[in-house]
Amino acid sequence: MPVDVLIVDDEADICELVGGILTDEGYNARFVLDGVQALESIKARQPGLVILDVWLGDGSRDGLKILETIMRDHPYVPVVMMSGHSTVETAVAAIKMGAYDFVEKPFQSDRLLLVVKRAIEAAKLHRELDELKVRAPFLCSLIGVSHEIQEIKQQLHAVAPTNSRMCIHGPVGCDRADIARFVHNLSLRADQPFFSMNCLLSPPQQIEVELFGLETIRSDDHTPRKIGLLENAHNGTLFIDEISNLSMGAQARLLKFLQTSEFTRTGGSTPVSVNVRILTGSSRTPGELLNSDDFFPDLYHRTHVTSVSVPPISSRREDIALLSKHFLSAIAAAQNIPIKSLSAEALALLESYSWPGDVQQLKNVLEGSLILAINNGSNSINVDDIPAEILLGNEFSQEWDKKGPTIAFLPIKEAKDAFEREYLLAQLKRFGGHISHMSKFIGMDRTALHKKLRNLGIHANDIDKD
């Protein structure tokens, strides 16, 4: 997608010259002749880059004042200053205020294009770095070998380049935002911004401001204009997770945008036109969304041009080993602690757990386990390092014996013997060591029972009679 560049200079011929150079290189150039028009143009649609003349000849709206406003209200928009009669002090002041670079008139086309390219790349890296500080190092884009994951990857590879809208369904904790970024990275917009928001994490009124932005209503209001995610994501992708939690008013505004590609900031009246690919997510199934009383059917159909349903990890347990390896490596690096692998018993325990919190819960459990295992004297995370709730909630945990592993981790013959030993010891205790009563209850001949007890090494002193 072409980057939108706003040129601000009080000389029309300079604007046309710069605009022509940029247009020939594939940029989308627009220009204005003074500071007032510049702020109005930015207000109408946030550009991807501003080329700003230092001297605009309109007093309080000169270039440095405009730069100050842009840096305050649009911190991700790079600004390149331009002037034909500025001092070194002016250039240094502009850089200190946040300008990316300074170009002197008359300029060489190659020099201008190089500065523009680098400014856009630097702004993109700045955005990505801020996002990665929050999400890294736990990105896990569809890691796994299961048939379900391979099918989903094929579907995403087919849909991503088409620019169509998609809804990602999956359980709480499955990291739908990571899958949305996977789609963005495979799309034709991969070199443009990617933003995401979760509608569960903010009050309804705040969500509308985050999504559509906030307009400064009064001229004496010093609250800066807030640019919403829709505007920031121009030419890129916006992922709206848990979309059914949008208020009905926000749903109506989003539906209008999907119909017209225009919206107004909260509290404002100026239409803002942007080109954004919308991806959505929900922990509810398509049927639940479509039949819901609090979700517009028309919004459902416009967001579900295609859809994908991500299965919980409890239904693709063969992926847990790879996910665990990925998370442990990332956690060790982030926490600056030695990396450890899962013991066979610990991995089996994780693979047999139900994981109601899905991938996010697995990551949290692994982080806690790795920290607990720091001083366990082993190169592995053992069962004793796994949080108690995983043991208590595990289908095999009831047979856990601190002297050894559960039957889930034994060959079938050893598991059978271990189970029979525990069962017969419990029955001996129950009947106070009376073999005749016990044999009648379990339906086993007394002679055969005596032989079984001898083979299992069970003796009278093994019975706890308290």
Side-chain angles (χ1 to χ4, degrees):
M1 304 294 293
V3 177
D4 188 22
V5 180
L6 175 64
I7 305 159
V8 186
D9 197 300
D10 59 351
E11 298 182 55
D13 56 341
I14 295 294
C15 290
E16 292 174 357
L17 173 63
V18 175
I21 293 171
L22 294 176
T23 301
D24 289 344
E25 292 298 316
Y27 295 98
N28 179 31
R30 51 188 168 116
F31 64 85
V32 294
L33 301 177
D34 60 49
V36 173
Q37 293 180 36
L39 294 178
E40 288 297 321
S41 184
I42 295 173
K43 178 180 176 181
R45 184 176 72 239
Q46 179 175 270
L49 172 75
V50 176
I51 298 177
L52 177 62
D53 190 23
V54 172
W55 304 106
L56 295 175
D58 55 351
S60 63
R61 296 299 187 182
D62 68 14
L64 292 180
K65 288 289 185 181
I66 299 300
L67 173 63
E68 183 180 18
T69 302
I70 294 173
M71 290 297 99
R72 183 193 67 193
D73 295 347
H74 310 271
Y76 288 114
V77 175
V79 178
V80 173
M81 302 301 291
M82 182 171 58
S83 180
H85 40 78
S86 292
T87 63
V88 173
E89 289 78 8
T90 303
V92 171
I95 299 298
K96 285 184 175 180
M97 290 173 65
Y100 176 77
D101 206 341
F102 197 98
V103 176
E104 289 186 283
K105 302 176 187 175
F107 52 82
Q108 294 183 340
S109 298
D110 290 347
R111 157 75 174 154
L112 176 65
L113 290 172
L114 180 62
V115 170
V116 166
K117 179 182 178 182
R118 288 179 173 175
I120 293 170
E121 289 175 347
K124 180 173 182 286
L125 289 173
H126 183 197
R127 286 193 305 266
E128 291 177 349
L129 181 60
D130 283 352
E131 182 181 351
L132 287 172
K133 284 178 180 177
V134 177
R135 291 183 52 75
F138 301 115
L139 298 177
C140 55
S141 299
L142 300 167
I143 291 172
V145 295
S146 64
H147 176 69
E148 295 93 334
I149 287 299
Q150 300 310 312
E151 277 196 341
I152 290 172
K153 284 183 180 179
Q154 289 180 6
Q155 182 179 354
L156 296 182
H157 275 277
V159 172
T162 66
N163 205 39
S164 67
R165 300 179 194 127
M166 167 185 277
C167 188
I168 302 165
H169 296 269
V172 173
C174 78
D175 208 351
R176 293 178 291 271
D178 194 33
I179 297 169
R181 174 171 278 283
F182 183 87
V183 172
H184 171 76
N185 289 342
L186 290 174
S187 75
L188 301 178
R189 299 172 182 256
D191 60 343
Q192 298 297 322
F194 172 86
F195 289 91
S196 68
M197 66 176 292
N198 189 317
C199 299
L200 284 176
L201 301 183
S202 300
Q205 302 85 347
Q206 186 61 33
I207 288 176
E208 288 200 47
V209 172
E210 289 181 20
L211 186 57
F212 300 102
L214 178 66
E215 190 62 84
T216 302
I217 300 174
R218 304 189 313 272
S219 59
D220 61 344
D221 189 350
H222 298 294
T223 303
R225 176 188 299 119
K226 178 178 176 61
I227 299 302
L229 293 175
L230 269 175
E231 197 166 349
N232 276 319
H234 178 55
N235 285 337
T237 304
L238 174 61
F239 175 60
I240 306 173
D241 201 8
E242 296 295 8
I243 187 173
S244 62
N245 283 83
L246 284 175
S247 67
M248 300 302 280
Q251 287 184 40
R253 293 179 69 182
L254 179 60
L255 179 58
K256 183 178 179 181
F257 167 73
L258 295 177
Q259 293 168 337
T260 65
S261 296
E262 288 187 348
F263 66 94
T264 56
R265 299 187 190 96
T266 302
S269 58
T270 303
V272 180
S273 177
V274 293
N275 178 356
V276 178
R277 183 182 191 179
I278 299 295
L279 303 176
T280 55
S282 178
S283 57
R284 298 161 74 175
T285 67
E288 289 171 340
L289 274 185
L290 186 57
N291 297 315
S292 173
D293 293 332
D294 58 0
F295 194 67
F296 288 148
D298 198 12
L299 184 57
Y300 172 91
H301 293 299
R302 288 188 179 271
T303 55
H304 283 68
V305 176
T306 58
S307 66
V308 62
S309 295
V310 183
I313 57 172
S314 58
S315 69
R316 49 185 181 97
R317 299 179 188 273
E318 62 268 44
D319 293 336
I320 291 177
L322 270 180
L323 282 166
S324 298
K325 182 178 179 181
H326 169 82
F327 282 136
L328 288 173
S329 177
I331 292 164
Q335 300 285 355
N336 195 27
I337 56 179
I339 187 172
K340 296 191 177 190
S341 59
L342 289 165
S343 69
E345 293 83 3
L347 177 59
L349 190 66
L350 298 183
E351 288 177 333
S352 59
Y353 184 64
S354 59
W355 299 111
D358 212 65
V359 173
Q360 185 62 40
Q361 185 188 11
L362 173 64
K363 180 185 80 71
N364 293 340
V365 166
L366 288 168
E367 183 171 0
S369 301
L370 185 58
I371 292 171
L372 289 174
I374 290 176
N375 298 316
N376 70 356
S378 169
N379 292 325
S380 300
I381 296 173
N382 301 316
V383 171
D384 291 339
D385 303 313
I386 303 295
E389 64 267 21
I390 304 301
L391 291 171
L392 295 174
N394 195 284
E395 57 190 285
F396 298 116
S397 65
Q398 302 305 315
E399 275 74 40
W400 182 261
D401 185 341
K402 292 182 180 179
K403 298 178 184 177
T406 69
I407 61 173
F409 315 131
L410 297 172
I412 187 167
K413 183 180 186 309
E414 293 179 32
K416 181 173 178 290
D417 289 346
F419 171 78
E420 288 185 342
R421 178 180 171 80
E422 293 298 321
Y423 174 78
L424 293 175
L425 280 171
Q427 297 302 334
L428 279 170
K429 179 180 178 181
R430 176 184 180 186
F431 291 102
H434 294 290
I435 298 297
S436 58
H437 295 166
M438 177 179 163
S439 66
K440 185 178 298 184
F441 174 79
I442 67 174
M444 191 176 193
D445 179 74
R446 285 185 61 188
T447 303
L449 179 55
H450 276 293
K451 182 178 179 181
K452 173 64 74 174
L453 293 173
R454 284 196 304 271
N455 290 340
L456 293 174
I458 298 176
H459 307 285
N461 57 4
D462 292 326
I463 306 169
D464 181 6
K465 298 182 180 181
D466 30 43

